[in-house]
Amino acid sequence: MNADAIDWQMELIANASEEEQRRLIWGMSPIDVLRFDAKFENWAHRNQFPPSGDGWRTWLMMAGRGFGKTRAGAEWIHSLANSRRGVRIALVGATLHEARAIMVEGVSGLLRVAKLRGETLSWEPSLGRLRWRNGSEAQIFSGENPDGLRGPEHDFAWADELAKWAQPEAAWDNLQMGLRRGTRPRALITTTPRSMRLLETIRDDRWTVATNGRTDENINLDERYLDVMTATYGGTRLGRQELEGELITDVEGSLWPRELIERCRLVRPERFDRIVVGVDPPAGVGEGCDACGIVVAGRLDERLYVLSDETCQGLSPEGWARRVAAAVERWDADMVVAEANNGGAMVKSVLDAANVGVRVRLVHASLGKVARAEPIALRFESGRAFLTGRFPQLEDEMSGMVAGGQYPPGRSPDRADAMVWAMTELSPTRSGIPRVRRL
């Protein structure tokens, strides 16, 4: 296929749907695929391009596996190396082996990118040094040897998979100290996110621009691979991290650490002694207001189970009341437990008007949300409460509750509060705390 035909096909792909794009790419001949691959700027995702503007020092690309982080990094570095003579670049991998095998010699690495552009680079593996024809050089380093980054000065740096570095803080600090050559030093971090303080610190720095990407945004990936990964890990913490590129962090002192949440998953039993719908009504109406927390929970013997998260947002009182009624019918619940602190009479009247078909019990919150949640968190920790599926938004709220403290300001754990009300109702005592009865 000649250059004009490739350009025509590129335009066809650019205007096609995502599904059609994949079909067209997978129907290409090997030679056409190589020609297509060389035109990175025409098919790359927008988050694979560097941020615009001059007000940043660090570009943090946190993305799922297979998004194209390595290719984006190699393209950026190759472009900078050719931008002027004598540029000095640091290539930092988790290990020297990975820096060489992935960043330089890999299928999306610098040697491959240069070859697609019709250029030949000088690569000296024994020295870990890469040279361009204009005198620009890149040197490989590792995140397990921070002292290796002491001394050298660089114009630019590419830090790959920082979340895997053995000594991330020390290595990153030394890299930053040496990033002082030229008029505008900059660094790119390409990594699959992992809960770590350094990543949060870099992300929140005012000189950082963070971009994200999901695995399924790479149109070059086989649809069968995407289907298998989504079916296996979709909605899980691992999937959100490894496929969606989401940085999921644990809050210090959380009532529900992420490890506890993962440990408390069980297959849903076939029967229950009781099923209750917990409701945390919003104080207002509209998209800017809190959500209406609606969570279904069940009890079998002494064990409690989260069955469903039916939470909604932006609906009128009549709208969320109909959602509650639908949840009652779907799960054959025997009671609705609703917080009445915000307009108790109104809550009761709209639920009655929705014909929920079961008793509605109004509860008044005398304690804060976190204090109410602590007995229920204890049941999870002691192996007496479980999740029967994946509930990402509910789990985020659960993990944000801190023992003896307050929930993060500006956010309301409506889902978690609804779950607590339902589970408290199903507990042996409504407080959720076992008591000793005197005879």
Side-chain angles (χ1 to χ4, degrees):
M1 188 180 291
N2 59 36
D4 291 338
I6 283 289
D7 290 339
W8 174 82
Q9 194 166 30
M10 286 295 308
E11 184 177 352
L12 182 65
I13 291 172
N15 295 321
S17 66
E18 190 172 299
E19 181 179 347
E20 184 67 10
Q21 286 176 337
R22 286 196 170 90
R23 190 190 67 78
L24 290 169
I25 292 170
W26 283 90
M28 289 181 178
S29 70
I31 293 177
D32 289 344
V33 168
L34 289 174
R35 290 171 176 165
F36 170 81
D37 192 27
K39 294 180 175 289
F40 177 77
E41 63 278 4
N42 289 336
W43 57 260
H45 191 275
R46 63 182 181 278
N47 285 342
Q48 289 177 292
F49 293 113
S52 58
D54 297 332
W56 60 275
R57 176 178 170 89
T58 304
W59 172 19
L60 173 60
M61 183 191 297
M62 289 190 294
R65 297 192 189 188
F67 170 74
K69 300 184 293 296
T70 304
R71 179 64 182 273
E75 291 280 353
W76 186 65
I77 290 295
H78 185 72
S79 174
L80 291 172
N82 280 318
S83 64
R84 65 176 188 268
R85 297 181 59 83
V87 170
R88 295 295 178 266
I89 300 165
L91 305 175
V92 191
T95 65
L96 287 176
H97 171 74
E98 290 193 13
R100 171 180 171 175
I102 297 173
M103 304 172 77
V104 178
E105 300 175 347
V107 294
S108 299
L110 284 160
L111 292 177
R112 169 69 184 274
V113 165
K115 185 176 181 180
L116 288 170
R117 302 283 182 177
E119 302 176 36
T120 301
L121 306 184
S122 172
W123 169 231
E124 301 172 273
S126 61
L127 300 176
R129 185 169 61 200
L130 191 65
R131 287 179 172 173
W132 280 258
R133 291 178 180 175
N134 65 356
S136 293
E137 292 184 4
Q139 184 73 41
I140 65 172
F141 301 90
S142 94
E144 62 183 1
N145 180 23
D147 286 342
L149 287 158
R150 288 184 180 274
E153 295 183 11
H154 300 104
D155 298 89
F156 307 106
W158 174 17
D160 189 48
E161 294 298 352
L162 183 144
K164 290 174 57 180
W165 291 9
Q167 299 188 57
E169 288 83 5
W172 177 253
D173 288 344
N174 283 342
L175 177 62
Q176 288 294 291
M177 295 291 183
L179 198 60
R180 59 180 185 266
R181 194 173 185 269
T183 58
R184 191 188 164 202
R186 281 162 287 166
L188 164 63
I189 300 171
T190 52
T191 188
T192 304
R194 183 180 297 174
S195 180
M196 59 186 301
R197 184 169 298 179
L198 177 60
L199 268 184
E200 295 179 58
T201 300
I202 295 172
R203 179 195 60 188
D204 297 337
D205 188 274
R206 67 191 183 108
W207 303 112
T208 297
V209 174
T211 60
N212 299 93
R214 304 188 314 273
T215 299
D216 62 7
E217 290 177 313
N218 187 342
I219 59 174
N220 296 301
L221 290 178
D222 188 349
E223 285 186 344
R224 289 168 295 182
Y225 169 81
L226 295 174
D227 289 343
V228 170
M229 292 298 101
T230 301
T232 305
Y233 301 107
T236 68
R237 184 192 184 195
L238 183 64
R240 292 168 66 191
Q241 174 178 286
E242 302 293 325
L243 301 181
E244 298 179 26
E246 183 178 343
L247 179 59
I248 303 175
T249 59
D250 267 330
V251 178
E252 186 175 353
S254 170
L255 290 178
W256 281 278
R258 296 285 180 173
E259 184 274 333
L260 173 62
I261 289 175
E262 294 299 327
R263 195 172 73 233
C264 290
R265 296 194 198 278
L266 284 183
V267 176
R268 187 171 72 231
E270 294 183 359
R271 65 176 183 85
F272 293 94
D273 299 330
R274 286 192 67 196
I275 293 178
V276 168
V277 178
V279 182
D280 182 26
V285 179
E287 292 184 2
C289 295
D290 293 338
C292 178
I294 306 171
V295 173
V296 184
R299 186 185 74 203
L300 178 60
D301 299 326
E302 296 299 317
R303 290 182 165 191
L304 308 183
Y305 301 85
V306 175
L307 306 181
S308 180
D309 179 6
E310 314 265 341
T311 298
C312 57
Q313 187 164 17
L315 298 183
S316 65
E318 293 75 16
W320 58 252
R322 286 194 294 270
R323 284 286 190 95
V324 173
V328 168
E329 182 177 1
R330 185 180 306 112
W331 292 96
D332 195 22
D334 59 53
M335 181 182 287
V336 171
V337 182
E339 182 177 326
N341 284 45
N342 295 315
M346 180 275 291
V347 172
K348 182 71 163 59
S349 65
V350 295
L351 288 173
D352 287 342
N355 295 317
V356 295
V358 295
R359 179 189 170 197
V360 175
R361 179 170 176 263
L362 298 182
V363 287
H364 295 267
S366 58
L367 300 173
K369 292 178 184 290
V370 174
R372 290 197 302 274
E374 287 178 339
I376 301 303
L378 187 60
R379 296 188 70 89
F380 277 85
E381 192 171 353
S382 61
R384 294 175 293 149
F386 304 91
L387 301 167
T388 63
R390 308 281 177 178
F391 310 103
Q393 292 169 296
L394 170 61
E395 292 166 21
D396 285 346
E397 293 185 359
M398 292 165 65
S399 68
M401 288 188 164
V402 179
Q406 297 292 321
Y407 197 73
R411 299 165 60 191
S412 180
D414 311 294
R415 301 166 192 267
D417 212 26
M419 178 196 75
V420 167
W421 285 125
M423 287 193 155
T424 300
E425 172 62 32
L426 293 171
S427 298
T429 61
R430 281 181 179 166
S431 69
I433 304 174
R435 296 194 179 99
V436 175
R437 179 181 177 188
R438 287 188 177 181
L439 298 176

